[in-house]
Amino acid sequence: MSESGALIVGLNAVIVAVTDDAPQLLVVPSAEGTPALPFGPFDPKTHRTFEIGLREWVSAQAQFQLGFVEQLYTFGDQGREAPLAELSGTGEARVISIGYLALTPDSSPPPEGGGVWRDWYRFFPWEDWRAGEPAVIRAVIAPALRRWADEAATPGKREARRDRIRIAFGLDGMTWNEERVLDRYELLYETGLVPEASRDQGSDRPAPDGMGEVMASDHRRILATAISRLRAKVKYRPVVFEMMPERFTLSHLQRVMEAIVGFPLHKQNFRRALDRSGFVDGTGRMESATGGRPAELFTFRREALREGPASGLATPRLNQS
Amino acid sequence: MSESGALIVGLNAVIVAVTDDAPQLLVVPSAEGTPALPFGPFDPKTHRTFEIGLREWVSAQAQFQLGFVEQLYTFGDQGREAPLAELSGTGEARVISIGYLALTPDSSPPPEGGGVWRDWYRFFPWEDWRAGEPAVIRAVIAPALRRWADEAATPGKREARRDRIRIAFGLDGMTWNEERVLDRYELLYETGLVPEASRDQGSDRPAPDGMGEVMASDHRRILATAISRLRAKVKYRPVVFEMMPERFTLSHLQRVMEAIVGFPLHKQNFRRALDRSGFVDGTGRMESATGGRPAELFTFRREALREGPASGLATPRLNQS
DNA sequence: TCAAAAGTGTTATCCTTACACCCATGT
DNA sequence: ACATGGGTGTAAGGATAACACTTTTGA
């Protein structure tokens, strides 16, 4: 067993909060100026577990406590951009990063140097279907992907590529599956439609416009993983409430769910499913409305977890016509 | 950023095949004689990705190719037993292990030194509900856990412990949720009901009998993670077919599903759901029966993935009365 | 009085569950 | 003929999806 010491383990955090209309992501500036996920080294000497290490430097840097934290994936491919290797002074080091997803109800701006909140759809414009199909898909993505499929050498490969495209983007009769965020990003990376591709390979072919803001290293891939996971998770665990204030209206809850899954929900059916689930409790109190009838304030019933088989919230799609 | 070089990254593989009635796990002997998961170091010099590294040493050691492979979780807690640290010669090293789940249809015995197949329920007897509730739960686990709950200092903590127990083991009116394999194992570890607990902490309190076979290091925890993941996954991705031969009967498929989820399925409803899913195709051929009417042989329709939103197989519970 | 948002009622349809029953083979 | 496993039909109940409609505020 070769003792090849040049291994650095880093922790990357995808920290998510939701303001009324937008899922917010905490980003810090990277050396090259592009936004980056908060990153901290894992120090085996002082950190007993990864999660403890993570919570420690997040609370030190951004001055707030994380609530819900979950490990996402460990990324270790060679060829990932590794600006951290330079930072650490050992140019040869291989950096492995363990991605974490963290949720918080607190979206107030962090202190100077603690990063800033950014709408996550700035990095993934094609993932926001709340106002119908995003224009980029028809205008840019679909045609470019189709060209790429046509370029394939054999008819078999052409078909395989077309299938991948149809499944990932819900084209040609397939329905859009909001959870395939990572599949879509990987397809776009592979086809050079996203600037990271040419940056990493030093290629010349520039990516088209409208493909979202670039992030440092492979952080956009990590973010894609996080979005995929969160979109799946809200449906089978009541994690949305980790991002809600103590009291909230049902419309607010609906807007938060919509912000996460990226499509509009059917109001009545959402509410019906919600009260079947038993996750919310009406407090008699009302919210002084923002232009309409006042809404009742609700709270999360933690006890509901103990009753049913802990599921999440239903996401009844609103018919987009 | 401190360059604390004493980090070793290892890859652990949970390799699963299913023979007619039992889910089989590939294990190798460990230094202490207890079975262990196949382990290989990750060498950043020669392995471009984790998965490539994994496939390489698995095919070298056990002489067979892995099909489906998926990353599970990265384990890095201090206090995990780390026999590998000694192996590597650096007594101080912190070993991080990245767990992988691999599925294969081939359950033929590996060559000498390539490990052996073991029924995974040997390690988790309480997880097999195919013949009704396992006796250990009523006889050993439930009473011991209740005692542990009663020992808690405050009434609040007592309630919290009781809730954890009810949810994990489906006691007192809660229903058994087969996916909580890890929750259950962690509860048993925490309460010292599993021999690993006293082994790791050098405690004296011996674990009761019937709590399954011990594995090396934290491998039983890794296996629990794998079972949890696989039991969840078969329901939303057609991964069972990764463990099926080219042609199979519907009963065979059902037995494999039952082996994985750990409870009996309702035959008719399983079949109905199966053909709605479109995942299987009848070949006209028949299987010379093993004592009954001959059964038709079916194949997996890979194309089905492209049609619907790729779901898994339904698991309609058979009423246990 | 009108816009805007909150909140309620009702129906058709599909899926799940739970039955009970017939078919083809080996012994 | 009968045991064994393969395979089919059908009816009840619940969840979902899709309608349209009433209520309460602020401007």
Side-chain angles (χ1 to χ4, degrees), chain A residues 18-273:
Chain A
V18 184
T19 56
D20 219 47
D21 298 280
Q24 302 287 348
L25 171 73
L26 191 70
V27 298
V28 297
S30 74
E32 319 97 68
T34 51
L37 295 176
F39 173 95
F42 170 67
D43 180 2
K45 295 270 186 287
T46 60
H47 297 143
R48 227 189 65 244
T49 70
F50 297 136
E51 213 182 292
I52 291 172
L54 182 85
R55 286 177 190 276
E56 200 171 276
W57 62 255
V58 168
S59 72
Q61 275 176 40
Q63 318 255 303
F64 71 85
Q65 302 300 314
L66 296 178
F68 175 91
V69 167
E70 167 177 293
Q71 195 187 102
L72 274 178
Y73 198 81
T74 300
F75 302 83
D77 288 14
Q78 203 150 50
R80 299 165 55 237
E81 268 222 331
L84 272 300
E86 293 152 37
L87 245 157
S88 78
T90 62
E92 283 292 301
R94 178 78 162 269
V95 177
I96 285 174
S97 68
I98 308 181
Y100 273 81
L101 170 64
L103 306 179
T104 165
D106 174 15
S107 64
S108 55
E112 192 59 26
V116 291
W117 293 109
R118 283 281 171 271
D119 182 343
W120 81 18
Y121 290 120
R122 285 171 63 137
F123 306 104
F124 292 98
W126 55 88
E127 294 292 344
D128 186 3
W129 285 61
R130 284 175 297 175
E133 179 180 82
V136 232
I137 295 184
R138 243 169 234 286
V140 181
I141 297 176
L145 289 179
R146 272 192 252 273
R147 266 196 304 282
W148 172 76
D150 293 339
E151 278 166 18
T154 69
K157 297 202 175 189
R158 265 198 291 281
E159 265 316 298
R161 285 186 176 184
R162 289 210 186 95
D163 276 344
R164 271 187 74 193
I165 296 168
R166 286 179 40 206
I167 294 170
F169 283 91
L171 300 170
D172 307 317
M174 289 283 302
T175 53
W176 174 263
N177 181 333
E178 77 281 359
E179 294 178 23
R180 298 192 201 280
V181 186
L182 183 60
D183 290 355
R184 286 187 279 272
Y185 180 75
E186 289 188 331
L187 194 52
L188 295 175
Y189 185 96
E190 207 177 316
T191 56
L193 284 174
V194 114
E196 278 94 335
S198 46
R199 179 198 69 189
D200 298 354
Q201 275 117 45
S203 147
D204 45 351
R205 196 154 70 165
D209 283 337
M211 297 302 292
E213 198 174 340
V214 177
M215 293 184 82
S217 186
D218 59 347
H219 291 188
R220 227 160 149 202
R221 181 183 305 265
I222 298 177
L223 177 57
T225 309
I227 298 176
S228 292
R229 182 82 131 257
L230 185 55
R231 283 183 170 180
K233 194 128 192 168
V234 289
K235 292 178 206 146
Y236 64 86
R237 283 288 132 97
V239 288
V240 226
F241 299 106
E242 305 286 346
M243 291 176 285
M244 301 299 294
E246 196 52 41
R247 291 162 200 290
F248 50 85
T249 66
L250 296 185
S251 304
H252 183 188
L253 182 59
Q254 182 175 342
R255 278 194 301 275
V256 171
M257 281 293 280
E258 288 171 338
I260 292 165
V261 299
F263 57 85
L265 301 179
H266 187 116
K267 184 173 57 154
Q268 297 88 326
N269 293 336
F270 174 72
R271 288 176 183 215
R272 195 191 329 279

Side-chain angles (χ1 to χ4, degrees), chain B:
Chain B
M1 191 179 300
S2 63
E3 172 58 47
S4 33
L7 265 177
I8 296 174
V9 172
L11 302 169
N12 276 101
V14 176
I15 304 174
V16 179
V18 184
T19 56
D20 220 45
D21 298 279
Q24 303 287 348
L25 171 73
L26 192 70
V27 298
V28 297
S30 74
E32 319 98 69
T34 52
L37 295 176
F39 173 95
F42 170 68
D43 180 1
K45 295 270 185 288
T46 60
H47 298 144
R48 227 189 65 241
T49 71
F50 297 136
E51 212 182 293
I52 291 171
L54 182 86
R55 287 178 189 275
E56 201 171 275
W57 62 255
V58 168
S59 71
Q61 274 176 41
Q63 317 255 302
F64 71 83
Q65 302 300 315
L66 296 177
F68 177 91
V69 167
E70 168 177 291
Q71 193 186 104
L72 275 176
Y73 199 80
T74 300
F75 301 84
D77 289 13
Q78 203 148 52
R80 298 166 55 236
E81 270 221 330
L84 271 302
E86 294 153 36
L87 244 158
S88 79
T90 61
E92 283 291 302
R94 179 77 162 271
V95 177
I96 285 174
S97 70
I98 308 179
Y100 273 81
L101 169 65
L103 307 178
T104 164
D106 174 16
S107 63
S108 55
E112 193 56 30
V116 290
W117 293 109
R118 283 280 170 274
D119 183 342
W120 80 20
Y121 290 119
R122 286 171 62 136
F123 307 104
F124 292 98
W126 56 88
E127 294 292 346
D128 186 3
W129 286 60
R130 283 175 297 174
E133 181 180 79
V136 235
I137 294 184
R138 241 169 235 286
V140 181
I141 296 176
L145 288 178
R146 273 192 252 272
R147 268 197 303 281
W148 171 75
D150 294 339
E151 279 165 17
T154 69
K157 295 201 178 195
R158 266 199 289 284
E159 266 316 299
R161 285 187 177 184
R162 290 210 185 93
D163 276 344
R164 269 187 76 191
I165 296 168
R166 285 179 41 204
I167 294 170
F169 282 91
L171 299 170
D172 306 317
M174 289 283 302
T175 53
W176 173 264
N177 182 333
E178 77 281 358
E179 294 178 24
R180 299 194 201 280
V181 186
L182 184 60
D183 291 354
R184 286 187 279 271
Y185 180 75
E186 288 187 333
L187 194 52
L188 296 175
Y189 185 96
E190 207 177 316
T191 57
L193 285 173
V194 115
E196 280 94 334
S198 45
R199 180 198 67 190
D200 297 353
Q201 275 117 47
S203 148
D204 44 352
R205 194 153 71 163
D209 282 337
M211 297 301 293
E213 196 173 342
V214 177
M215 292 184 81
S217 186
D218 59 347
H219 291 188
R220 228 160 150 203
R221 180 182 306 267
I222 299 177
L223 177 56
T225 309
I227 298 176
S228 292
R229 183 80 132 258
L230 185 55
R231 282 183 171 180
K233 194 129 193 168
V234 288
K235 293 178 206 145
Y236 63 86
R237 283 289 133 95
V239 287
V240 226
F241 300 105
E242 305 286 344
M243 293 176 284
M244 301 299 293
E246 195 51 41
R247 290 161 201 292
F248 50 85
T249 66
L250 297 185
S251 304
H252 182 189
L253 182 60
Q254 183 176 341
R255 279 194 302 277
V256 170
M257 281 294 279
E258 288 171 337
I260 292 166
V261 299
F263 58 83
L265 300 179
H266 187 116
K267 184 172 59 152
Q268 298 86 327
N269 292 336
F270 175 73
R271 288 176 184 215
R272 196 193 329 280
L274 193 62
D275 78 34
R276 251 201 316 277
S277 78
F279 279 131
V280 294
D281 238 1
T283 72
R285 258 175 280 191
M286 294 293 169
E287 154 121 312
S288 26
T290 52
R293 170 173 165 179
E296 188 172 1
L297 286 165
F298 288 77
T299 54
F300 175 43
R301 281 187 64 232
R302 289 213 131 69
E303 315 87 86
L305 274 168
R306 320 187 314 202
E307 290 159 10
S311 66
L313 267 57
T315 56
R317 253 195 166 75
L318 179 70
N319 231 17
Q320 309 238 31
S321 44

